[in-house]
Amino acid sequence: MTEQPLRRCQGTPAPRETAAAVEQRTPAERLHARYGREADWQPPEWNETLDVLLRHRSVRRYLDREVSDETVRTVIAAAQSASTSSNQQIISALVIRDQHKKDAVAEIGGPFQKHIRHAPALIIWLVDFRRARHLADAAGREPVGLDYLDIALVGACDAGIHAQNALVAAESLGLGGVFLGSVRNDSGQLAQVLELPEDVIPFVGMELGHPDPQEEAGIKPRLPQESFLHFETYDADAVPEQLAAYEATLAEYYRDYDMDPSWGRRLVSRLGEKATFATQRHKLADFLRSRGLGLK
């Protein structure tokens, strides 16, 4: 798996590296790539798990190779090993290889989600109340908890935790992938395409495949810990200064891909009226209520 090298020092281009060199990066180099600058601290120790986590990148181009059932089941076993609120296990996973269904999911995702069509395997993580309703019906009890917002948040949280476990496991096996929030662009239509029961809700998608080494996708720098990490109390004063520093760091990354270099402008645009109403996501609460959730 190859990674687009980032600049090692501000203003100094990093030399292009071989795949072998990327795999052999030191902890300091991993941290530099993750934050786009040298870290002023070092991990007390290092292991393969940390290395897999810190070298994560989104993959959208794949080799023409299948992802075997055994591999999928291994990844799902890792997902099911994740924590789940009160052991309720209100998450399920739907694996899609059928080309017509992948095409439909890509269509729902929009014009920038064409890569979905070419992913060897697509997993849709589902918030699944079907088992709970079956047990409640059998016990003759009303699942009152479904009337309240908390259960939807529990499902969303568990889906995220399970999906992240799955992607880390996949990356440890040499696979790559990318999460797909675009599956919520029209949840009602997606539920029809996937023929989901009323008490099963599609929440997030994930592509899986063998990364194409020709794809020039790098490790995207994250917010500096000075802005992200707080000890004991929230340091509101650190936000403006650190955001300016992050803007400069991420601008270098975005320019390499001929993208708008301003992270702040992109974030504000995502929260604006045009982006908010460009899809059916603003109707998500109505969809959830149609699936039996009260959201009180």
Side-chain angles (χ1 to χ4, degrees), residues 28-163:
E29 289 172 325
R30 290 288 186 218
L31 288 171
H32 188 285
R34 180 50 63 206
Y35 292 108
R37 63 181 186 179
E38 291 184 7
D40 58 4
W41 58 276
Q42 292 298 318
E45 57 183 272
W46 196 248
N47 55 50
E48 290 183 7
T49 301
L50 289 171
D51 198 71
V52 169
L53 287 166
L54 265 75
R55 72 175 187 241
H56 163 73
R57 66 183 179 91
S58 294
V59 174
R60 295 177 176 85
R61 284 177 52 186
Y62 308 94
L63 299 177
D64 188 16
R65 292 175 57 186
E66 291 294 327
V67 178
S68 70
D69 283 351
E70 291 77 12
T71 298
V72 169
R73 290 183 180 277
T74 301
V75 166
I76 294 300
Q80 289 187 279
S81 298
S83 299
T84 174
S85 180
S86 302
N87 199 35
Q88 294 179 76
Q89 302 187 75
I90 54 175
I91 299 299
S92 292
L94 176 61
V95 179
I96 298 171
R97 292 194 178 95
D98 178 80
Q99 191 59 55
H100 294 297
K101 288 185 178 179
K102 287 192 294 184
D103 290 345
V105 175
E107 187 69 24
I108 291 169
F112 298 109
Q113 302 299 312
K114 294 179 181 179
H115 49 86
I116 295 174
R117 303 176 189 272
H118 308 293
L122 177 62
I123 302 177
I124 306 294
W125 299 94
L126 310 166
V127 179
D128 186 349
F129 298 112
R130 193 155 187 80
R131 292 182 291 266
R133 283 193 182 278
H134 172 78
L135 292 171
D137 289 345
R141 300 181 61 181
E142 185 67 25
V144 177
L146 297 184
D147 290 338
Y148 293 89
L149 175 64
D150 181 67
I151 195 64
L153 297 180
V154 167
C157 184
D158 277 14
I161 294 171
H162 282 63

Side-chain angles (χ1 to χ4, degrees), residues 175-255:
L175 300 177
V178 63
F179 287 111
L180 303 167
S182 61
V183 300
R184 294 192 303 280
N185 282 1
D186 192 331
S187 297
Q189 183 181 356
L190 181 64
Q192 292 182 14
V193 167
L194 302 180
E195 302 178 89
L196 298 177
E198 282 192 3
D199 36 20
V200 178
I201 300 162
F203 183 72
V204 66
M206 188 175 77
E207 298 174 9
L208 277 187
H210 298 273
D212 182 346
Q214 300 303 314
E215 181 183 19
E216 293 186 353
I219 295 176
K220 189 178 297 181
R222 296 297 195 240
L223 284 164
Q225 287 198 2
E226 293 83 354
S227 177
F228 181 89
L229 177 63
H230 305 266
F231 290 99
E232 309 302 342
T233 58
Y234 187 93
D235 184 5
D237 293 336
V239 172
E241 179 182 351
Q242 294 304 325
L243 286 181
Y246 184 58
E247 278 279 299
T249 297
L250 200 56
E252 293 188 44
Y253 176 91
Y254 281 140
R255 287 192 187 101

Side-chain angles (χ1 to χ4, degrees), residues 240-269:
E241 179 182 351
Q242 294 304 325
L243 286 181
Y246 184 58
E247 278 279 299
T249 297
L250 200 56
E252 293 188 44
Y253 176 91
Y254 281 140
R255 287 192 187 101
D256 285 341
Y257 298 95
D258 296 322
M259 299 170 67
D260 182 347
S262 173
W263 175 77
R265 192 159 53 235
R266 293 164 65 89
L267 174 59
V268 171
S269 176

